[in-house]
């Protein structure tokens, strides 16, 4: 069995290795080996260094040749180390894209919105949307996703999955009603520009 734990300078593994005192013979010229007690192997530790590059994808594998358990008279197997991301409370990863979810009000869906998002590296990202947001629609920001593996300086998208929170009831508010009418008029003007008709 191969066990591992992370150290400051790599991954330290516990494995079975050939006895150094008797050379894997299980005995000395005149008596059984006192270190391995005749088993020809004993417990040992091997430290390997893993360089996880920016943007490496889930499931990518590091192979350490002949770092597995040793048995007398047999070639040691390989150790395979698979890369997986830890879960994050606010972000998910889809390939090179970074996904987060945000709720917006019905008013924000109709009139647009501004919001701040704290990125993985601690930066505050200002997001502004001026379009009408439909149910199930996303807002995408290019170049703010995950690094693209083997392509220095290139990044995926930050995708904000928007959930419109509808009010349980709509109160009569002249200011809000006026804003809604203005938003509807702006949407109609945009449609006329796009399609060239009223």
């Amino acid at each position: 069995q191969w066990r591992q734990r992370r150290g400051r300078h790599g991954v330290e593994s516990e494995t079975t290795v050939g006895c150094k005192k008797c050379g894997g013979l299980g005995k000395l010229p005149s008596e059984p080996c006192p270190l391995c007690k005749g088993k020809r192997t004993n417990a040992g530790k091997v430290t390997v260094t893993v360089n996880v590059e920016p943007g490496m994808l889930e499931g990518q594998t590091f192979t350490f040749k002949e770092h597995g358990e040793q048995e007398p008279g047999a070639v040691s197997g390989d150790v395979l180390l698979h890369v997986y991301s830890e879960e994050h409370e606010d972000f998910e990863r889809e390939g090179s894209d970074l996904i987060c979810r945000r709720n917006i009000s019905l008013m924000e869906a109709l009139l647009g919105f501004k919001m701040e998002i704290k990125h993985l590296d601690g930066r505050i990202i200002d997001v502004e949307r001026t379009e009408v947001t439909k149910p199930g629609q996303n807002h995408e920001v290019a170049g703010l996703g995950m690094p693209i593996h083997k392509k220095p300086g290139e990044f995926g998208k930050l995708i904000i999955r928007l959930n419109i929170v509808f009010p349980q009831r709509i109160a009569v508010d002249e200011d809000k009603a006026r804003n809604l009418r203005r938003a509807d008029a702006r949407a109609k003007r945009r449609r006329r520009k796009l399609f060239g008709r009223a």
Side-chain angles (χ1 to χ4, degrees), residues 31-45:
E31 59 185 14
C33 174
L35 186 61
C36 68
K37 303 186 185 313
K39 296 178 181 178
R40 301 171 65 184
T41 59
N42 55 19
K45 293 184 179 181

Side-chain angles (χ1 to χ4, degrees), residues 63-108:
T63 301
F64 301 99
K65 300 291 290 183
E66 299 183 9
H67 275 65
E69 293 287 303
Q70 288 191 5
E71 295 291 340
V75 177
S76 299
D78 299 337
V79 170
L80 304 180
L81 180 64
H82 302 283
V83 176
Y84 292 99
S85 302
E86 293 182 356
E87 290 187 4
H88 192 275
E89 61 182 1
D90 198 25
F91 291 99
E92 300 172 17
R93 181 181 181 180
E94 289 185 2
S96 296
D97 295 332
L98 201 55
I99 314 295
C100 66
R101 291 173 168 80
R102 292 293 185 272
N103 291 333
I104 59 173
S105 67
L106 178 59
M107 186 70 67
E108 289 173 320

Side-chain angles (χ1 to χ4, degrees), residues 7-61:
R8 293 184 60 187
H9 303 292
V11 176
E12 186 179 84
S13 63
E14 296 183 4
T15 186
T16 302
V17 296
C19 180
K20 295 180 180 179
K21 190 171 184 65
C22 67
L25 296 176
K27 60 182 179 180
L28 297 177
S30 58
E31 59 185 14
C33 174
L35 186 61
C36 68
K37 303 186 185 313
K39 296 178 181 178
R40 301 171 65 184
T41 59
N42 55 19
K45 293 184 179 181
V46 177
T47 300
V48 294
T49 300
V50 179
N51 180 28
V52 180
E53 299 173 350
M56 291 190 78
L57 298 175
E58 298 275 336
Q60 287 192 254
T61 303

Side-chain angles (χ1 to χ4, degrees), residues 79-154:
V79 170
L80 304 180
L81 180 64
H82 302 283
V83 176
Y84 292 99
S85 302
E86 293 182 356
E87 290 187 4
H88 192 275
E89 61 182 1
D90 198 25
F91 291 99
E92 300 172 17
R93 181 181 181 180
E94 289 185 2
S96 296
D97 295 332
L98 201 55
I99 314 295
C100 66
R101 291 173 168 80
R102 292 293 185 272
N103 291 333
I104 59 173
S105 67
L106 178 59
M107 186 70 67
E108 289 173 320
L110 293 170
L111 303 179
F113 59 84
K114 292 181 180 180
M115 68 171 62
E116 293 183 347
I117 293 179
K118 187 175 182 180
H119 206 277
L120 284 173
D121 58 8
R123 288 180 295 163
I124 301 299
I125 306 300
D126 294 315
V127 176
E128 181 175 3
R129 183 176 176 86
T130 57
E131 306 170 22
V132 173
T133 303
K134 299 177 182 178
Q137 202 166 12
N138 299 329
H139 185 79
E140 299 183 357
V141 185
L144 289 180
M146 296 293 293
I148 298 178
H149 191 221
K150 301 292 186 182
K151 294 184 178 181
E154 295 188 27

